[in-house]
Structure formats: structure tokens, C-alpha cells
Coordinates of all heavy atoms in Angstrom, one line a residue:
S1 N 79.7 12.6 -135.3 CA 80.5 11.3 -135.7 C 81.9 11.6 -135.6 O 82.4 12.7 -135.6 CB 80.0 11.0 -137.1 OG 80.3 12.0 -138.0
F2 N 82.6 10.5 -135.6 CA 84.1 10.6 -135.5 C 84.6 9.2 -136.1 O 83.9 8.3 -136.4 CB 84.6 10.7 -134.0 CG 84.1 9.6 -133.2 CD1 84.8 8.5 -132.8 CD2 82.8 9.7 -132.6 CE1 84.4 7.5 -132.0 CE2 82.3 8.8 -131.7 CZ 83.1 7.6 -131.4
I3 N 85.9 9.2 -136.3 CA 86.6 8.0 -137.0 C 87.5 7.3 -136.0 O 88.1 7.9 -135.1 CB 87.5 8.5 -138.1 CG1 86.5 9.0 -139.3 CG2 88.4 7.4 -138.6 CD1 87.2 9.6 -140.4
I4 N 87.2 6.0 -135.9 CA 88.2 5.2 -135.2 C 89.2 4.6 -136.1 O 88.9 4.1 -137.1 CB 87.5 4.1 -134.3 CG1 86.5 3.3 -135.2 CG2 86.8 4.7 -133.1 CD1 85.9 2.0 -134.4
R5 N 90.5 4.7 -135.6 CA 91.6 4.1 -136.4 C 92.1 2.9 -135.6 O 92.4 3.1 -134.3 CB 92.7 5.2 -136.6 CG 93.9 4.6 -137.4 CD 95.0 5.7 -137.7 NE 94.3 6.9 -138.4 CZ 94.7 8.1 -138.2 NH1 95.6 8.5 -137.4 NH2 94.2 9.1 -139.0
L6 N 92.2 1.8 -136.1 CA 92.5 0.6 -135.4 C 94.1 0.4 -135.6 O 94.5 0.0 -136.7 CB 91.8 -0.7 -135.9 CG 90.3 -0.4 -136.0 CD1 89.5 -1.7 -136.3 CD2 89.8 0.2 -134.6
A7 N 94.8 0.6 -134.6 CA 96.3 0.5 -134.7 C 96.9 -0.9 -135.1 O 97.8 -0.9 -136.0 CB 97.0 1.1 -133.5
R8 N 96.3 -1.9 -134.5 CA 96.9 -3.2 -134.7 C 96.2 -4.0 -135.8 O 96.9 -4.6 -136.6 CB 96.9 -4.0 -133.4 CG 97.9 -3.5 -132.4 CD 98.1 -4.4 -131.2 NE 97.0 -4.2 -130.2 CZ 96.3 -5.1 -129.6 NH1 96.5 -6.3 -129.9 NH2 95.5 -4.8 -128.6
T9 N 94.9 -3.9 -135.8 CA 94.1 -4.5 -136.9 C 94.2 -3.9 -138.2 O 94.2 -4.5 -139.3 CB 92.6 -4.5 -136.5 OG1 92.5 -4.9 -135.1 CG2 91.8 -5.5 -137.4
G10 N 94.4 -2.6 -138.2 CA 94.4 -1.7 -139.4 C 93.0 -1.3 -139.8 O 92.0 -2.1 -139.5
G11 N 92.9 -0.2 -140.5 CA 91.6 0.2 -140.9 C 91.1 1.3 -140.1 O 91.4 1.6 -139.0
E12 N 90.1 2.0 -140.8 CA 89.4 3.1 -140.1 C 87.9 3.0 -140.3 O 87.5 2.6 -141.4 CB 89.9 4.5 -140.7 CG 91.3 4.8 -140.6 CD 91.7 6.2 -141.0 OE1 90.9 6.9 -141.7 OE2 92.8 6.6 -140.7
H13 N 87.2 3.3 -139.3 CA 85.8 3.2 -139.4 C 85.0 4.4 -138.9 O 85.5 5.0 -137.8 CB 85.3 2.0 -138.6 CG 85.9 0.7 -139.0 ND1 85.5 -0.1 -140.2 CD2 87.1 0.1 -138.6 CE1 86.3 -1.1 -140.3 NE2 87.3 -1.0 -139.4
L14 N 84.0 4.8 -139.5 CA 83.2 5.9 -139.1 C 82.2 5.5 -138.0 O 81.5 4.5 -138.1 CB 82.5 6.6 -140.2 CG 81.6 7.8 -140.0 CD1 82.5 9.0 -139.7 CD2 80.7 8.1 -141.1
V15 N 82.1 6.3 -136.9 CA 81.2 5.9 -135.9 C 80.1 7.1 -135.9 O 80.4 8.2 -135.6 CB 81.8 5.9 -134.5 CG1 80.7 5.6 -133.4 CG2 82.9 4.9 -134.4
G16 N 78.9 6.8 -136.4 CA 77.9 7.7 -136.6 C 77.3 8.1 -135.3 O 77.5 7.4 -134.2
A17 N 76.5 9.2 -135.3 CA 75.8 9.7 -134.1 C 75.0 8.7 -133.4 O 74.8 8.7 -132.2 CB 75.1 10.9 -134.4
D18 N 74.4 7.8 -134.3 CA 73.5 6.8 -133.6 C 74.2 5.4 -133.4 O 73.5 4.4 -133.2 CB 72.3 6.6 -134.5 CG 72.6 6.2 -135.9 OD1 73.8 6.3 -136.3 OD2 71.7 5.8 -136.6
Q19 N 75.5 5.4 -133.5 CA 76.3 4.1 -133.3 C 77.2 4.2 -132.1 O 77.5 5.3 -131.6 CB 77.1 3.9 -134.6 CG 76.3 3.6 -135.9 CD 77.2 3.5 -137.1 OE1 77.9 4.4 -137.4 NE2 77.2 2.3 -137.7
T20 N 77.7 3.1 -131.8 CA 78.7 3.0 -130.7 C 80.0 2.4 -131.2 O 79.9 1.7 -132.3 CB 78.2 2.1 -129.5 OG1 78.2 0.7 -130.0 CG2 76.9 2.5 -128.9
I21 N 81.1 2.7 -130.6 CA 82.4 2.1 -131.1 C 82.3 0.6 -131.1 O 82.6 0.0 -132.0 CB 83.6 2.6 -130.1 CG1 83.7 4.1 -130.2 CG2 84.9 1.9 -130.5 CD1 84.8 4.6 -129.2
A22 N 81.7 0.0 -130.0 CA 81.6 -1.5 -129.9 C 80.8 -2.0 -131.1 O 81.1 -3.0 -131.6 CB 81.0 -1.8 -128.5
G23 N 79.7 -1.3 -131.4 CA 78.7 -1.8 -132.5 C 79.5 -1.7 -133.8 O 79.3 -2.7 -134.6
V24 N 80.2 -0.6 -134.1 CA 80.9 -0.5 -135.4 C 82.0 -1.5 -135.5 O 82.2 -2.1 -136.5 CB 81.5 1.0 -135.5 CG1 82.6 1.0 -136.5 CG2 80.4 1.9 -135.6
L25 N 82.7 -1.8 -134.4 CA 83.7 -2.9 -134.3 C 83.1 -4.2 -134.6 O 83.6 -5.0 -135.5 CB 84.5 -2.9 -133.0 CG 85.4 -1.7 -132.7 CD1 85.9 -1.8 -131.3 CD2 86.6 -1.7 -133.7
R26 N 82.0 -4.5 -134.0 CA 81.4 -5.7 -134.3 C 80.9 -5.9 -135.7 O 81.1 -6.9 -136.3 CB 80.1 -5.8 -133.4 CG 79.5 -7.2 -133.2 CD 78.2 -7.2 -132.3 NE 78.6 -6.7 -131.0 CZ 78.0 -5.6 -130.4 NH1 77.0 -5.0 -131.0 NH2 78.2 -5.2 -129.2
D27 N 80.3 -4.8 -136.3 CA 79.8 -4.8 -137.6 C 81.1 -5.0 -138.6 O 80.9 -5.6 -139.7 CB 79.1 -3.5 -138.0 CG 77.8 -3.3 -137.4 OD1 77.4 -4.4 -136.8 OD2 77.2 -2.3 -137.4
A28 N 82.2 -4.5 -138.2 CA 83.5 -4.7 -139.0 C 84.1 -6.0 -138.8 O 85.1 -6.4 -139.4 CB 84.4 -3.5 -138.7
G29 N 83.6 -6.8 -138.0 CA 84.1 -8.1 -137.8 C 85.3 -8.1 -136.8 O 86.1 -9.1 -136.9
V30 N 85.6 -7.1 -136.1 CA 86.7 -6.9 -135.2 C 86.2 -7.5 -133.8 O 85.3 -6.8 -133.2 CB 87.2 -5.5 -135.1 CG1 88.4 -5.4 -134.2 CG2 87.6 -5.0 -136.5
A31 N 86.9 -8.5 -133.3 CA 86.4 -9.0 -132.0 C 86.7 -8.2 -130.9 O 87.9 -7.8 -130.7 CB 87.1 -10.5 -131.8
I32 N 85.6 -7.9 -130.1 CA 85.9 -7.2 -128.9 C 84.8 -7.7 -127.9 O 83.6 -7.8 -128.3 CB 85.8 -5.6 -129.1 CG1 85.9 -5.0 -127.7 CG2 84.5 -5.2 -129.8 CD1 85.8 -3.5 -127.8
E33 N 85.2 -7.9 -126.7 CA 84.3 -8.5 -125.7 C 83.4 -7.4 -125.1 O 84.0 -6.4 -124.8 CB 85.0 -9.2 -124.6 CG 85.4 -10.6 -124.9 CD 85.8 -11.4 -123.7 OE1 85.1 -11.4 -122.7 OE2 87.0 -11.8 -123.8
T34 N 82.2 -7.6 -125.0 CA 81.3 -6.7 -124.3 C 80.4 -7.5 -123.4 O 80.2 -8.7 -123.6 CB 80.5 -5.8 -125.2 OG1 79.6 -6.6 -126.0 CG2 81.4 -4.9 -126.2
S35 N 79.8 -6.8 -122.4 CA 78.9 -7.5 -121.6 C 77.7 -6.6 -121.2 O 76.6 -6.8 -121.8 CB 79.6 -7.9 -120.2 OG 78.7 -8.6 -119.4
C36 N 77.9 -5.6 -120.4 CA 76.8 -4.8 -120.0 C 76.2 -3.9 -121.1 O 75.1 -3.5 -121.2 CB 77.2 -4.0 -118.7 SG 78.2 -2.6 -119.0
E37 N 77.1 -3.4 -121.9 CA 76.9 -2.5 -122.9 C 76.4 -1.1 -122.3 O 75.7 -0.3 -123.1 CB 75.8 -3.0 -124.0 CG 76.3 -4.3 -124.6 CD 77.0 -4.0 -125.9 OE1 77.0 -2.9 -126.4 OE2 77.6 -5.0 -126.5
Q38 N 76.6 -0.9 -121.0 CA 76.1 0.4 -120.4 C 77.2 1.2 -119.7 O 77.0 2.1 -118.9 CB 75.0 0.0 -119.4 CG 73.7 -0.6 -120.1 CD 72.7 -0.9 -119.1 OE1 72.9 -1.2 -117.9 NE2 71.5 -0.9 -119.5
G39 N 78.5 0.8 -120.0 CA 79.6 1.5 -119.3 C 79.8 1.2 -117.9 O 80.4 2.1 -117.2
V40 N 79.4 0.1 -117.5 CA 79.4 -0.2 -116.0 C 80.3 -1.4 -115.7 O 81.1 -1.3 -114.6 CB 77.9 -0.7 -115.5 CG1 77.9 -1.1 -114.1 CG2 77.0 0.4 -115.7
C41 N 80.5 -2.4 -116.5 CA 81.2 -3.6 -116.0 C 82.7 -3.6 -116.3 O 83.4 -4.3 -115.5 CB 80.6 -4.8 -116.8 SG 80.9 -5.0 -118.5
G42 N 83.1 -2.9 -117.3 CA 84.6 -2.8 -117.6 C 85.1 -3.9 -118.6 O 86.3 -3.8 -119.0
T43 N 84.3 -4.7 -119.2 CA 84.6 -5.8 -120.1 C 85.2 -5.2 -121.4 O 86.2 -5.7 -121.9 CB 83.4 -6.6 -120.4 OG1 82.8 -7.2 -119.2 CG2 83.8 -7.8 -121.4
C44 N 84.7 -4.1 -121.9 CA 85.1 -3.5 -123.2 C 86.3 -2.6 -123.1 O 86.4 -1.9 -124.0 CB 83.9 -3.0 -123.8 SG 83.3 -1.5 -122.9
L45 N 86.9 -2.6 -122.0 CA 88.1 -1.7 -121.9 C 89.1 -1.8 -123.0 O 89.5 -2.8 -123.3 CB 88.8 -1.9 -120.5 CG 90.0 -1.1 -120.1 CD1 89.4 0.4 -119.8 CD2 90.8 -1.6 -119.0
T46 N 89.4 -0.6 -123.7 CA 90.3 -0.6 -124.8 C 91.3 0.5 -124.6 O 90.9 1.6 -124.2 CB 89.4 -0.5 -126.0 OG1 88.5 -1.5 -126.2 CG2 90.3 -0.4 -127.3
G47 N 92.5 0.3 -125.1 CA 93.6 1.3 -125.0 C 93.3 2.3 -126.1 O 92.9 2.1 -127.1
V48 N 93.7 3.6 -125.7 CA 93.5 4.8 -126.7 C 95.0 5.2 -126.9 O 95.8 5.6 -126.0 CB 92.7 5.9 -126.1 CG1 92.7 7.1 -127.0 CG2 91.3 5.5 -125.9
L49 N 95.4 5.3 -128.2 CA 96.8 5.6 -128.5 C 96.9 7.1 -128.9 O 97.9 7.8 -128.6 CB 97.3 4.8 -129.7 CG 97.4 3.3 -129.3 CD1 97.8 2.5 -130.5 CD2 98.3 3.0 -128.2
S50 N 95.8 7.7 -129.5 CA 95.8 9.1 -129.7 C 94.4 9.6 -129.9 O 93.5 8.7 -130.2 CB 96.6 9.5 -131.1 OG 96.0 9.0 -132.2
G51 N 94.2 10.9 -129.8 CA 92.8 11.4 -129.8 C 92.3 11.5 -128.4 O 93.0 11.1 -127.5
V52 N 91.2 12.3 -128.2 CA 90.7 12.5 -126.9 C 89.4 11.9 -126.7 O 88.4 12.2 -127.4 CB 90.5 14.0 -126.7 CG1 90.0 14.3 -125.3 CG2 91.8 14.7 -126.8
P53 N 89.2 10.9 -125.7 CA 87.9 10.2 -125.5 C 87.0 11.2 -124.8 O 87.3 12.1 -124.1 CB 88.3 9.1 -124.5 CG 89.8 9.0 -124.5 CD 90.3 10.3 -124.9
D54 N 85.7 10.9 -125.2 CA 84.5 11.6 -124.6 C 83.9 10.5 -123.7 O 83.1 9.8 -124.2 CB 83.6 12.1 -125.7 CG 82.4 12.8 -125.0 OD1 82.3 13.0 -123.8 OD2 81.5 13.2 -125.9
H55 N 84.3 10.4 -122.4 CA 83.9 9.4 -121.6 C 82.5 9.5 -121.2 O 82.0 10.5 -120.7 CB 84.8 9.3 -120.3 CG 86.2 9.1 -120.6 ND1 86.7 7.9 -121.0 CD2 87.3 9.9 -120.6 CE1 88.0 8.0 -121.1 NE2 88.4 9.2 -120.9
R56 N 81.7 8.4 -121.4 CA 80.3 8.3 -121.0 C 80.0 7.2 -120.0 O 78.9 6.9 -119.7 CB 79.5 8.0 -122.2 CG 79.7 9.0 -123.4 CD 79.0 10.3 -123.3 NE 79.2 11.3 -124.3 CZ 78.5 11.4 -125.5 NH1 77.5 10.7 -125.5 NH2 78.9 12.3 -126.3
D57 N 81.1 6.6 -119.5 CA 81.0 5.4 -118.7 C 80.9 5.8 -117.1 O 81.2 6.9 -116.8 CB 82.1 4.4 -118.9 CG 83.5 4.9 -118.5 OD1 83.9 5.8 -119.2 OD2 83.9 4.7 -117.4
V58 N 80.6 4.8 -116.3 CA 80.8 5.1 -114.9 C 81.7 4.1 -114.3 O 81.8 3.8 -113.1 CB 79.4 4.9 -114.2 CG1 78.5 6.0 -114.6 CG2 78.8 3.5 -114.4
F59 N 82.6 3.4 -115.2 CA 83.5 2.4 -114.7 C 84.9 3.0 -114.4 O 85.4 2.7 -113.3 CB 83.6 1.3 -115.8 CG 84.7 0.3 -115.5 CD1 84.4 -0.8 -114.6 CD2 86.0 0.3 -116.0 CE1 85.3 -1.8 -114.2 CE2 86.9 -0.7 -115.6 CZ 86.6 -1.7 -114.8
L60 N 85.4 3.9 -115.3 CA 86.7 4.5 -115.0 C 86.6 5.5 -114.0 O 85.6 6.2 -113.8 CB 87.3 5.1 -116.3 CG 87.5 4.2 -117.5 CD1 87.9 5.0 -118.8 CD2 88.7 3.2 -117.2
T61 N 87.7 5.6 -113.1 CA 87.8 6.7 -112.2 C 88.0 8.0 -112.8 O 88.3 8.1 -114.0 CB 88.9 6.5 -111.1 OG1 90.2 6.6 -111.9 CG2 88.9 5.1 -110.5
D62 N 87.7 9.2 -112.1 CA 87.9 10.5 -112.7 C 89.3 10.6 -113.2 O 89.6 11.2 -114.2 CB 87.6 11.6 -111.7 CG 86.1 11.6 -111.4 OD1 85.3 11.0 -112.1 OD2 85.7 12.3 -110.4
E63 N 90.3 10.1 -112.4 CA 91.7 10.2 -112.7 C 92.0 9.4 -114.0 O 92.7 9.9 -114.9 CB 92.5 9.5 -111.6 CG 93.8 10.2 -111.4 CD 94.3 9.6 -110.0 OE1 94.4 8.5 -109.8 OE2 94.7 10.5 -109.1
E64 N 91.4 8.2 -114.1 CA 91.6 7.4 -115.4 C 91.0 8.1 -116.6 O 91.6 8.1 -117.7 CB 90.9 6.0 -115.2 CG 91.8 5.1 -114.3 CD 91.0 3.8 -114.0 OE1 89.8 3.8 -113.8 OE2 91.7 2.8 -113.8
Q65 N 89.8 8.7 -116.4 CA 89.2 9.4 -117.5 C 90.0 10.5 -117.9 O 90.1 10.9 -119.2 CB 87.7 9.8 -117.0 CG 86.8 8.7 -116.9 CD 85.3 9.1 -116.8 OE1 85.0 10.3 -116.9 NE2 84.5 8.2 -116.9
A66 N 90.6 11.2 -117.0 CA 91.4 12.4 -117.3 C 92.6 12.0 -118.0 O 93.1 12.8 -118.9 CB 91.7 13.3 -116.0
A67 N 93.2 10.8 -117.7 CA 94.4 10.4 -118.4 C 94.3 10.1 -119.9 O 95.1 10.4 -120.7 CB 94.9 9.1 -117.7
G68 N 93.0 9.7 -120.2 CA 92.6 9.6 -121.6 C 93.3 8.5 -122.3 O 93.3 8.5 -123.6
D69 N 93.9 7.4 -121.7 CA 94.5 6.5 -122.4 C 93.7 5.1 -122.5 O 94.3 4.1 -122.9 CB 96.0 6.2 -121.8 CG 95.9 5.8 -120.3 OD1 94.8 5.7 -119.8 OD2 97.0 5.4 -119.8
K70 N 92.5 5.1 -122.0 CA 91.6 4.0 -122.1 C 90.2 4.4 -122.2 O 89.8 5.6 -121.8 CB 91.9 2.9 -121.1 CG 92.1 3.4 -119.7 CD 92.4 2.2 -118.9 CE 92.7 2.6 -117.4 NZ 94.1 3.1 -117.2
I71 N 89.4 3.5 -122.9 CA 88.0 4.0 -123.1 C 87.2 2.8 -123.1 O 87.5 1.6 -123.3 CB 87.9 4.6 -124.6 CG1 86.6 5.2 -124.8 CG2 88.3 3.5 -125.6 CD1 86.5 6.0 -126.1
M72 N 85.9 2.9 -122.7 CA 84.9 1.9 -122.6 C 84.1 2.0 -124.0 O 83.3 3.0 -124.1 CB 84.0 2.1 -121.4 CG 84.6 2.3 -120.1 SD 86.0 1.3 -119.7 CE 85.2 -0.4 -119.7
C73 N 84.3 1.0 -124.9 CA 83.8 1.2 -126.2 C 82.4 1.0 -126.4 O 81.8 1.4 -127.3 CB 84.5 0.0 -127.0 SG 86.2 0.3 -127.3
C74 N 81.7 0.5 -125.3 CA 80.3 0.4 -125.5 C 79.5 1.6 -125.4 O 78.4 1.8 -125.9 CB 79.7 -0.6 -124.5 SG 80.0 -0.1 -122.7
V75 N 80.0 2.7 -124.7 CA 79.2 3.9 -124.5 C 79.9 5.2 -124.8 O 79.3 6.2 -125.2 CB 78.7 4.0 -123.0 CG1 77.6 3.1 -122.7 CG2 79.8 3.9 -122.0
S76 N 81.3 5.1 -124.7 CA 82.1 6.3 -124.8 C 82.4 6.7 -126.3 O 82.3 5.9 -127.1 CB 83.4 6.3 -124.0 OG 83.1 6.2 -122.6
R77 N 82.7 8.0 -126.5 CA 82.8 8.5 -127.8 C 84.1 9.3 -128.0 O 85.0 9.1 -127.0 CB 81.6 9.5 -128.2 CG 80.2 8.6 -127.9 CD 79.1 9.4 -128.4 NE 79.1 9.5 -129.9 CZ 78.7 8.5 -130.7 NH1 78.3 7.3 -130.1 NH2 78.7 8.6 -132.0
A78 N 84.2 10.2 -128.9 CA 85.5 10.9 -129.1 C 85.2 12.4 -129.1 O 84.2 12.9 -129.7 CB 86.2 10.5 -130.3
K79 N 86.1 13.2 -128.6 CA 86.0 14.6 -128.7 C 86.8 15.2 -129.9 O 86.7 16.2 -130.3 CB 86.6 15.3 -127.4 CG 85.7 15.1 -126.2 CD 86.2 15.8 -125.0 CE 85.3 15.8 -123.8 NZ 86.0 16.1 -122.5
T80 N 87.7 14.3 -130.5 CA 88.5 14.6 -131.6 C 87.9 13.9 -132.8 O 87.2 12.9 -132.7 CB 90.0 14.1 -131.4 OG1 89.9 12.8 -130.8 CG2 90.6 15.1 -130.4
A81 N 88.3 14.4 -134.0 CA 87.8 13.8 -135.2 C 88.2 12.3 -135.4 O 87.4 11.6 -136.0 CB 88.3 14.6 -136.4
V82 N 89.3 12.0 -134.9 CA 89.9 10.7 -135.0 C 90.3 10.2 -133.6 O 90.8 10.9 -132.8 CB 91.1 10.6 -136.0 CG1 91.7 9.2 -136.0 CG2 90.8 11.1 -137.4
L83 N 90.0 8.9 -133.4 CA 90.4 8.3 -132.1 C 91.2 7.0 -132.5 O 90.6 6.2 -133.2 CB 89.2 7.9 -131.3 CG 89.4 7.6 -129.8 CD1 89.9 8.8 -129.0 CD2 88.0 7.1 -129.2
E84 N 92.4 6.9 -132.1 CA 93.2 5.8 -132.5 C 93.2 4.8 -131.3 O 93.6 5.1 -130.2 CB 94.6 6.2 -132.8 CG 95.5 5.0 -133.3 CD 96.9 5.5 -133.6 OE1 97.3 6.6 -133.2 OE2 97.6 4.7 -134.3
L85 N 92.8 3.5 -131.6 CA 92.6 2.6 -130.6 C 93.6 1.5 -130.7 O 94.1 1.1 -131.8 CB 91.2 1.8 -130.7 CG 90.0 2.9 -130.6 CD1 88.8 2.1 -130.9 CD2 89.9 3.5 -129.3
D86 N 94.0 0.9 -129.6 CA 95.0 -0.2 -129.5 C 94.4 -1.6 -129.7 O 94.3 -2.4 -128.8 CB 95.7 -0.1 -128.0 CG 96.9 -1.1 -128.0 OD1 97.4 -1.5 -129.1 OD2 97.3 -1.4 -126.9
I87 N 93.8 -1.7 -130.9 CA 93.1 -2.9 -131.3 C 93.7 -3.4 -132.6 O 93.8 -2.5 -133.5 CB 91.6 -2.8 -131.5 CG1 91.0 -2.2 -130.2 CG2 90.9 -3.9 -132.0 CD1 89.4 -2.0 -130.3
Ligands
FES1 FE1 80.3 -3.2 -119.8 FE2 81.3 -1.7 -121.9 S1 80.4 -3.7 -121.9 S2 81.4 -1.4 -119.7

């Protein structure tokens, strides 16, 4: 599990092993658009301000994944204890 910190909305939320970032945001009432929920379509693209994403999508290019400044919230996770999102 890891924590997402919401830079603009404020607040921190735990993402458990059986949860997704998108699901936790939805449960917290934070609006984020999703569509495929499988890391394919690109709808849930979100900026990352700090922390290291653990990319599980097939939407971002290898280069974009390596840059680590955006994440697909429906499938991807974090390699660091805290992931700060531009939400
Ligand atoms: Fe399609 Fe996340 S909802 S990539």
C-alpha cells in the first residue's frame, strides 16, 4: 500500500493492495474521469509532483514512464511510500 497526497484538493489517502488510485479518489469524492479502467485509453492521466510511479499501463511511452511526471490512475501504483498528485 501507499499514500496519495492531493496537492490541489488537499488531503492524503491510503491506497491498499486491493485498491486503485482511481477507486480511492472516487470513494473520497474527488472527481477524476476514467473510461477503460485498464490502463489503455489515457482518460485518467494525472500529473505526479513527487514520488515514483509504478507504471502498470500500456498508454504511456517508455520515455514518458521513465520521466515519472504523469500516471494512469486506474491501474498504476507507487514505488515510494507517498505519491503526490497534481489533483
Ligand atoms: Fe483508461 Fe485509465 S481509464 S487508462
Side-chain angles (χ1 to χ4, degrees):
S1 62
F2 56 97
I3 288 170
I4 48 172
R5 181 178 297 149
L6 310 185
R8 287 188 277 132
T9 312
E12 295 187 350
H13 303 277
L14 183 72
V15 181
D18 58 347
Q19 294 176 294
T20 64
I21 297 175
V24 168
L25 289 172
R26 194 179 304 124
D27 290 349
V30 179
I32 175 176
E33 272 192 60
T34 63
S35 180
C36 72
E37 303 269 351
Q38 294 182 337
V40 175
C41 73
T43 305
C44 65
L45 182 72
T46 300
V48 174
L49 300 177
S50 69
V52 180
D54 179 5
H55 297 288
R56 309 276 178 96
D57 66 280
V58 294
F59 178 79
L60 297 173
T61 64
D62 289 350
E63 216 166 54
E64 287 172 325
Q65 291 196 350
D69 61 352
K70 37 187 178 283
I71 189 169
M72 311 315 296
C73 288
C74 64
V75 290
S76 294
R77 309 189 64 80
K79 289 180 176 169
T80 44
V82 178
L83 197 64
E84 187 181 12
L85 301 176
D86 189 17
I87 295 178

